[in-house]
Amino acid sequence: MTPGMWTHNGESTTVWPGRNWPLGSTWTQEATNFAVYAPRGTTAWVCLFDDGGDEYRVEMTENSLGIWHCAVPGLQPGTRYGYRVDGPWDPTTGLRFNVDKLLLDPYGKAVSGELTPGPAMFGYVLGSPDERSTLDSAPYVPRTVVVNDEFDWGEEVPQRRRWRDTVIYELHVKGMTALHDRVPEELRGTYAGLATPAVTDYLRDLGVTAVELLPIHQFFSEPSLAEHGLVNYWGYNSLSFFAPHNAYAATGDRGQQVREFKEMVKAFHDAGLEVILDVVYNHTAEAGPLGPTLSFRGLDDLGYYQRVEHGDPGSTATDSGPDTYWDVTGCGNTVDSTHTQSLRLILDSLRYWVSEMHVDGFRFDLLSALTRTHQQVDMGSHLLTAIGQDPILRHVKLIAEPWDASMDGYQLGQFPPPWVEWNDQYRDTMRDFWRGHTSGVRTVATRLAGSSDLYADDGRSAYASVNFITAHDGFTLRDLVSYNDKHNEANGEDNRDGTDNNRSWNCGVEGETDDPDIIALRRRQAANLMATLCLSNGVPMLTAGDERGRTQRGNNNAYGQDNELSWIDWRPDDAWLDVYDITKTALRIRRDHPALRQRHWFEGRPAIKGGPKDLVWLHPDGREMTGEDWHDDGLASVGMFVSGDPLRSPGPRGEQLHDASFIIWLNASPYDVNVTLPENNWVQEGQVVLSTDPAHQVGEPVLAGHTFTLCARSLLLLQGA
């Protein structure tokens, strides 16, 4: 082929020089511009594929600042393409160019096709890592798609709720609707399925304000899963950070998934729901040095992936090799966010999803891995600093998973504003409390009040704590109260995978049972956990299906179970509707009463002179907790008085706000407890507004100074008149 020309259907067309920005493919009616970063490559081609799969290579003769570029006239949206880049092959120094490997565009906005595992996807000859493979990977790898991403958002208005008003619902795009009988069959398991009223109305009625979607960036299954006949279900194996995962599109994978995703976001926004993406920038699907060559590895392996630094303790790297990846993700590689292009890629991706796809925030998987400067955790790192000053990103919701797979990566409570964090200490404390494994109620009280020990010292508010009992990883809520041990045999790893630290209690029998007393206890325990979550200060995060009693039959690591084990069963015959009712009621009360979602920290003193304390901890005897009580390791019952008259947080114009006052009683003891209501000027009378105790019904009146019995393992919420 003559440089500057390409031939298709017997006709030759001049290829334009194009420009080196924006990266990726940019379609116009005149031409499509292609730009890809490969600074160490010696030659680059954009490879175009027709509907029959025939490949047409167009040499990219222009290189500006390490970016190869050209513009091809006359291409239509939906055209599939990839890159080939030639260059030095020296794996010992991290140079892995291989012209026989078709590469996905890191900036591609859509991906067509699937990955077929086999020898051709590797840049080297299997069994001989230093020998370059000559097998053509094109028939076995997916292609990027040229996209026309014009979209009429109409009157759609992004939903930007204050953090303290936010309730998150973590869900899987496919698992949410794959079995949903009120979603049209052809839309089940797709973005379009999520956009249906059957889903949006359900979430809004439940009291959710934001959905957090498990990874939707284009991802691929690890080859090891295929050996067990499984696929990657959760999606934490991304490769294309701009492309919505094609398998979740009902309308096709030739760019239609972009429009379908936007339509889903618009439907959520029209329903008053925010959209948060769980994003995985810390590693890619190319795994370790012996992983496949699919994109980054064939473009700039040295730039995108972190290396073990020479001189590190335990390092085997020398000035001449071998090339050793540095891995704190547990997935074979760690993206180097200190490298200019890697950092640009992450920031460009984030801005794209906000500006073009209208999402409202992100939850960052293993964020500590991306904060490294010279491989040390650094809260002033390039990435955190860049996001913190970015005029677009600093105003969206930013959630950190504040750890990675290393010992020093655990950074709970350390991320700077405006970040909020998944609080696993909340999870562990509340699981232990309700299963009867705590030493008193000291830590329980701290978590209920917003975890000030973690967030108050650096000026953050209680909403910096994203509270959760369960997440996608681990037991479901139903399994948490039904199993003592994991049961992961279906994963094909002889039950070795998954954590053994479940902090669960089966209530007397392992697994499902017909015993009505055990079933009743499990449902009450589940309701206790959900009510506690919804009424704690901070941001509650629910896991999809927990409110209905979804089970994975004891599997606590279902990442490869793309089947009914993971999908939500919407049939009513086995649903825990009593738990649903408690969850819905607790979220309604939280929404209606700002006293239960305050911005300011409780201070344990009156908000105004002569008023009640804003927070009082109560002993079951009806008195304030004493220092001796706080050190009573056998105490498993406590009351939390929250004053709403007035609130410590002012109104939008500085006005004093008033709300009802509440007392939350929690009894995790295996015994009934006599509780005396304090007799003072705080609350003279009121009523039960939420109860997991069968002996106390909603609407039941309460009077100060009276004593009542709170049954074993139950919760009661009292609202003052």
Side-chain angles (χ1 to χ4, degrees):
M1 180 183 300
T2 303
M5 303 289 292
W6 78 290
T7 302
H8 183 220
N9 293 332
E11 296 184 7
S12 295
T13 304
T14 300
V15 177
W16 303 347
R19 60 180 186 268
N20 68 345
W21 62 272
L23 288 166
S25 59
T26 305
W27 178 84
T28 67
Q29 291 186 349
E30 272 195 312
T32 299
N33 192 83
F34 295 93
V36 62
Y37 180 79
R40 297 173 180 87
T42 56
T43 316
W45 296 265
V46 58
C47 305
L48 308 172
F49 292 85
D50 63 19
D51 290 342
D54 290 333
E55 177 182 348
Y56 301 86
R57 298 188 186 186
V58 179
E59 185 172 351
M60 306 172 79
T61 58
E62 301 295 321
N63 186 305
S64 305
L65 304 176
I67 297 172
W68 297 88
H69 54 92
C70 70
V72 180
L75 294 186
Q76 295 301 310
T79 299
R80 293 167 295 173
Y81 71 96
Y83 295 117
R84 296 182 188 269
V85 179
D86 203 0
W89 173 262
D90 186 4
T92 61
T93 60
L95 297 172
R96 294 182 168 86
F97 293 99
N98 189 331
V99 72
D100 294 310
K101 308 305 165 185
L102 186 73
L103 308 174
L104 284 173
D105 187 342
Y107 276 73
K109 296 176 182 176
V111 173
S112 176
E114 301 177 351
L115 175 64
T116 302
M121 69 180 182
F122 296 96
Y124 61 93
V125 175
L126 293 183
S128 182
D130 293 334
E131 183 180 353
R132 179 156 53 179
S133 168
T134 58
L135 297 176
D136 185 6
S137 69
Y140 309 100
V141 297
R143 291 90 189 264
T144 313
V145 180
V146 174
V147 171
N148 174 9
D149 52 7
E150 294 178 356
F151 184 78
D152 182 6
W153 288 96
E155 298 180 359
E156 176 265 2
V157 178
Q159 301 294 313
R160 297 289 167 86
R161 293 180 183 269
R162 297 176 300 185
W163 267 120
R164 64 181 180 272
D165 299 332
T166 299
V167 177
I168 298 173
Y169 192 84
E170 187 198 44
L171 66 84
H172 188 282
V173 171
K174 183 175 182 179
M176 187 71 180
T177 63
L179 297 175
H180 206 307
D181 58 346
R182 288 184 291 116
V183 171
E185 187 172 357
E186 66 274 14
L187 302 183
R188 293 174 190 170
T190 68
Y191 305 119
L194 284 186
T196 60
V199 174
T200 57
D201 290 352
Y202 173 85
L203 295 174
R204 186 168 51 183
D205 186 59
L206 178 61
V208 170
T209 70
V211 294
E212 182 177 306
L213 306 181
L214 265 67
I216 57 84
H217 290 170
Q218 185 71 43
F219 63 86
F220 300 99
S221 295
E222 299 86 341
S224 59
L225 280 174
E227 296 175 4
H228 297 294
L230 303 173
V231 297
N232 189 311
Y233 172 66
W234 288 348
Y236 291 89
N237 204 42
S238 306
L239 192 64
S240 296
F241 298 147
F242 291 77
H245 189 59
N246 56 19
Y248 297 156
T251 50
D253 71 352
R254 297 285 291 274
Q256 301 96 323
Q257 59 264 50
V258 177
R259 171 173 291 274
E260 188 174 326
F261 185 91
K262 290 179 178 180
E263 289 170 344
M264 177 200 70
V265 172
K266 186 176 186 302
F268 276 126
H269 285 171
D270 290 346
L273 299 166
E274 291 180 295
V275 178
I276 299 170
L277 302 186
D278 193 335
V279 289
V280 188
Y281 294 113
N282 59 78
H283 73 279
T284 78
E286 290 186 313
L290 299 183
T293 296
L294 304 173
S295 181
F296 301 97
R297 178 166 289 130
L299 296 169
D300 187 26
D301 190 55
L302 281 173
Y304 283 113
Y305 298 126
Q306 288 212 39
R307 262 53 182 190
V308 172
E309 293 188 353
H310 303 301
D312 280 356
S315 170
T316 59
T318 66
D319 288 340
S320 59
D323 182 51
T324 306
Y325 277 27
W326 188 70
D327 177 18
V328 289
T329 67
C331 300
N333 64 63
T334 302
V335 171
D336 186 0
S337 63
T338 67
H339 186 272
T340 300
Q341 180 55 35
S342 298
L343 179 62
R344 176 183 175 183
L345 173 74
I346 295 170
L347 294 171
D348 285 349
S349 169
L350 292 169
R351 282 189 290 261
Y352 172 78
W353 288 99
V354 175
S355 300
E356 297 296 327
M357 306 296 259
H358 286 208
V359 305
D360 305 285
F362 306 93
R363 178 264 185 189
F364 285 71
D365 179 68
L366 301 183
L367 182 55
S368 293
L370 289 171
T371 67
R372 307 285 182 147
T373 300
H374 301 299
Q375 301 178 353
Q376 301 299 313
V377 174
D378 178 10
M379 291 302 153
S381 65
H382 298 344
L383 179 67
L384 296 185
T385 300
I387 290 175
Q389 62 79 44
D390 189 282
I392 294 174
L393 300 179
R394 68 189 181 205
H395 297 297
V396 303
K397 285 185 161 63
L398 298 169
I399 306 171
E401 183 180 35
W403 51 78
D404 56 26
S406 69
M407 294 296 292
D408 64 329
Y410 188 79
Q411 297 292 318
L412 180 67
Q414 301 303 310
F415 280 82
W419 292 89
V420 306
E421 301 172 1
W422 269 26
N423 188 347
D424 64 327
Q425 292 189 24
Y426 177 94
R427 174 199 65 195
D428 294 349
T429 297
M430 293 309 174
R431 286 187 178 192
D432 282 346
F433 175 69
W434 282 112
R435 72 186 179 119
H437 281 242
T438 50
S439 300
V441 295
R442 296 184 301 278
T443 307
V444 174
T446 301
R447 301 291 163 249
L448 282 169
S451 296
S452 60
D453 59 329
L454 298 172
Y455 303 111
D457 60 344
D458 57 3
R460 286 192 284 176
S461 298
Y463 63 69
S465 176
V466 176
N467 301 326
F468 64 105
I469 300 296
T470 68
H472 63 275
D473 188 2
F475 278 154
T476 67
L477 182 66
R478 179 169 178 163
D479 292 353
L480 190 68
V481 298
S482 303
Y483 294 89
N484 284 351
D485 304 304
K486 65 186 181 185
H487 296 268
N488 296 355
E489 290 78 8
N491 297 349
E493 299 183 38
D494 297 324
N495 207 34
R496 294 189 302 269
D497 63 304
T499 182
D500 293 311
N501 184 26
N502 295 296
R503 300 174 188 263
S504 60
W505 177 48
N506 64 18
C507 298
V509 173
E510 185 75 356
E512 295 298 317
T513 178
D514 294 328
D515 188 315
D517 292 334
I518 292 179
I519 293 174
L521 176 57
R522 288 176 175 176
R523 291 190 174 199
R524 189 162 74 248
Q525 285 286 81
N528 290 334
L529 288 160
M530 287 296 264
T532 303
L533 173 64
C534 296
L535 298 174
S536 296
N537 211 14
V539 177
M541 185 188 81
L542 287 64
T543 303
D546 272 356
E547 76 282 3
R548 302 177 56 85
R550 182 177 78 88
T551 178
Q552 291 176 176
R553 298 195 286 278
N555 192 318
N556 73 355
N557 190 35
Y559 76 103
Q561 299 296 329
D562 186 7
N563 50 53
E564 295 188 11
L565 186 73
S566 296
W567 304 338
I568 297 177
D569 186 350
W570 291 95
R571 295 173 300 181
D573 54 325
D574 195 39
W576 285 10
L577 298 180
D578 48 346
V579 178
Y580 171 86
D581 289 338
I582 286 287
T583 305
K584 180 179 176 180
T585 299
L587 289 178
R588 176 185 55 77
I589 295 170
R590 178 189 181 91
R591 180 195 65 215
D592 293 345
H593 293 283
L596 297 174
R597 44 182 174 83
Q598 298 193 40
R599 176 169 63 91
H600 286 79
W601 291 104
F602 295 115
E603 298 182 12
R605 60 184 179 85
I608 59 170
K609 186 176 181 179
K613 295 180 180 180
D614 60 353
L615 175 67
V616 177
W617 296 103
L618 301 171
H619 190 277
D621 290 345
R623 54 179 167 79
E624 287 193 46
M625 292 279 287
T626 65
E628 185 177 348
D629 294 331
W630 286 120
H631 290 88
D632 181 356
D633 290 347
L635 187 62
S637 306
V638 69
M640 179 183 180
F641 168 80
V642 177
S643 174
D645 192 23
L647 298 177
R648 188 169 295 283
S649 301
R653 292 180 174 83
E655 70 273 24
Q656 201 165 76
L657 299 179
H658 298 267
D659 190 18
S661 297
F662 292 87
I663 299 178
I664 307 169
W665 283 104
L666 302 92
N667 177 25
S669 165
Y671 309 106
D672 295 349
V673 173
N674 290 327
V675 173
T676 300
L677 296 174
E679 187 170 10
N680 49 39
N681 294 326
W682 302 343
V683 180
Q684 292 298 308
E685 59 180 319
Q687 63 176 348
V688 175
V689 291
L690 184 145
S691 173
T692 66
D693 184 341
H696 297 285
Q697 303 300 314
V698 171
E700 178 183 323
V702 295
L703 296 174
H706 285 213
T707 299
F708 63 89
T709 300
L710 186 60
C711 87
R713 300 188 175 95
S714 66
L715 176 149
L716 204 64
L717 179 64
L718 311 177
Q719 179 179 329

